[in-house]
Amino acid sequence: MDEAKVMEFVFKTVGDVGAVLAGSLVVIGDRLGFYRALAGAGPLTSAELAERTGTAERHVREWLAAQAATGYVSYLGDGRYELPEEHVAPLTQETHPAFVVGALETAIGAVQATDRVAESMRTGAGLSWGDQDHHVHVGCERFFRPGYVNYLTSAWLPAMDGVAERLEQGVAVADIGCGHGASTIHLAQTYPRSRFLGVDPHAGSVEAARKHAADAGVTDRVVFEQSTAKELGGSYGLIAFFDCLHDLGDPVGALRAAGEHLDADGAVLLVEPNAGDSVTDNLNPVGAAYYGFSTLLCTPNALSQEAATVLGTQAGQARTTEVAHEAGFRRVRRVAETPFNMVLELRR
Ligand SMILES: C[S@@+](CC[C@H](N)C(=O)[O-])C[C@H]1O[C@@H](n2cnc3c(N)ncnc32)[C@H](O)[C@@H]1O
């Protein structure tokens, strides 16, 4: 055995301890306005930051030191700390494509399920999305919203065949597994002539989505219902699954139901994690994050339902295409991608 490799591994795990804690420290920094106060302010002492944010200096001093050790803020060596300008958008700009707080908030929410997931692994039971910590629900909305705001209506829909044009003219749209409704509301704001139904089985998410729709002033064209993918009724020109197909206990059944409720020119928009097709393809930092979320959130949710086909978060395009074919969609086309998502258009 190579003793140096033992120590190398131990140091890697020390980094992971810091990473687990970093999620919590970022959520604190976000909530208390530390990053927003540091942004563009130049070097600040802990007393100055505490004063500007109405917080207690001794706590803030420790937070700043931890943030400097993790590389989130810079320490100038004289008691003053600075937020590098390159970190401002990722830590303070809610709809910027580089915004990272939502992902870290989801992560700290996900780890709250550690004991329950361990027990589920013993018994084979599942754990539903709605039973996760509230940071998961809020974090997920904040994690995915920048993708919708920046790419959905400007890049993903225009890349689909005739779909953006139909939305502009006015068509019915269903957003399956809509969560807090970030995608539904963004669509409604962009296409005021269309009508939108968001469905999700989690009561708390539906309630939050309704509130966000009211705040955004789009309740004249957006309705949210508490129901599952397979309970869908009506007829739609577009049915979207944003980062949720892999969470479902019966993704084939859900897509089959969608196929039955598309109008003659209707299409399905499937946004899924941009994973490779094999485990080997996903052994990288994005894969580590997504397999972690899959183990704590997505796979337990699917196992809490029918568990007919449990895809896992990183099923990849080949497996997802098989599922779409099985559900009756003959054409599956990758129309766009980001480092985190692949965007597929499904046609019957
Ligand atoms: C990862 S979240 C994505 C939420 C939202 N689409 C977004 O992009 O922010 C997965 C969502 O799927 C929902 N979900 C779980 N099982 C479902 C089912 N059987 N039918 C419809 N939605 C479901 C969950 O409640 C959760 O809101």
Side-chain angles (χ1 to χ4, degrees):
M1 191 174 63
D2 184 338
E3 288 298 332
K5 283 191 176 163
V6 173
M7 284 322 290
E8 202 180 299
F9 174 67
V10 169
F11 280 117
K12 177 198 148 28
T13 70
V14 172
D16 290 345
V17 172
V20 171
L21 299 171
S24 172
L25 298 179
V26 166
V27 169
I28 290 171
D30 170 65
R31 181 173 308 166
L32 298 180
F34 292 159
Y35 296 122
R36 292 184 289 280
L38 284 162
L44 294 181
T45 64
S46 54
E48 287 165 336
L49 181 60
E51 211 231 307
R52 289 181 188 205
T53 54
T55 50
E57 187 280 333
R58 187 62 192 90
H59 283 298
V60 174
R61 201 190 318 160
E62 222 57 22
W63 180 86
L64 277 168
Q67 286 282 285
T70 329
Y72 280 61
V73 303
S74 308
Y75 183 49
L76 276 61
D78 58 0
R80 295 182 306 155
Y81 296 84
E82 191 170 32
L83 188 64
E85 68 172 325
E86 296 80 9
H87 297 193
V88 171
L91 293 168
T92 69
Q93 291 175 21
E94 198 81 29
T95 57
H96 194 282
F99 186 66
V100 295
V101 176
L104 289 156
E105 183 166 6
T106 310
I108 70 152
V111 302
Q112 306 298 321
T114 304
D115 293 345
R116 287 172 294 155
V117 171
E119 188 53 23
S120 298
M121 285 184 177
R122 262 196 207 103
T123 63
L127 181 64
S128 80
W129 181 262
D131 288 334
Q132 295 284 350
D133 182 81
H134 74 282
H135 282 297
V136 168
H137 310 134
V138 175
C140 178
E141 175 194 3
R142 300 178 78 195
F143 184 8
F144 291 135
R145 194 201 289 118
Y148 307 144
V149 171
N150 289 288
Y151 310 119
L152 172 55
T153 53
S154 60
W156 300 348
L157 289 172
M160 294 177 77
D161 195 7
V163 171
E165 292 77 1
R166 290 196 75 196
L167 281 158
E168 269 155 27
Q169 285 156 13
V171 76
V173 177
D175 185 353
I176 309 298
C178 64
H180 284 199
S183 48
T184 336
I185 292 165
H186 181 63
L187 286 169
Q189 287 171 324
T190 312
Y191 302 109
R193 291 198 187 137
S194 287
R195 295 287 169 271
F196 302 87
L197 170 69
V199 301
D200 200 290
H202 176 220
S205 288
V206 171
E207 197 184 317
R210 285 179 181 148
K211 185 180 176 315
H212 293 338
D215 292 347
V218 294
T219 48
D220 60 329
R221 50 194 185 273
V222 179
V223 171
F224 291 104
E225 278 176 11
Q226 187 186 354
S227 65
T228 67
K230 291 204 295 188
E231 290 166 340
L232 186 67
S235 173
Y236 304 90
L238 177 69
I239 300 180
F241 293 75
F242 292 104
D243 265 298
C244 71
L245 188 79
H246 60 269
D247 291 290
L248 309 183
D250 183 9
V252 176
L255 282 179
R256 194 174 287 128
E260 286 163 7
H261 292 280
L262 284 177
D263 65 22
D265 291 331
V268 163
L269 167 63
L270 202 54
V271 178
E272 280 290 294
N274 195 358
D277 289 324
S278 72
V279 172
T280 313
D281 294 337
N282 296 320
L283 301 182
N284 51 55
V286 174
Y290 273 141
Y291 277 131
F293 285 135
S294 189
T295 308
L296 293 168
L297 304 176
C298 312
T299 299
N301 183 74
L303 288 167
S304 77
Q305 303 179 354
E306 301 93 322
T309 304
V310 179
L311 288 172
T313 306
Q314 310 224 81
Q317 185 168 347
R319 180 73 187 110
T320 306
T321 301
E322 276 175 16
V323 162
H325 287 325
E326 211 184 318
F329 290 91
R330 275 180 292 185
R331 285 178 292 155
V332 177
R333 186 167 70 96
R334 185 187 281 231
V335 295
E337 64 181 18
T338 69
F340 300 108
N341 283 120
M342 61 178 167
V343 182
L344 305 178
E345 175 177 1
L346 275 50
R347 298 270 178 176
R348 284 161 303 165

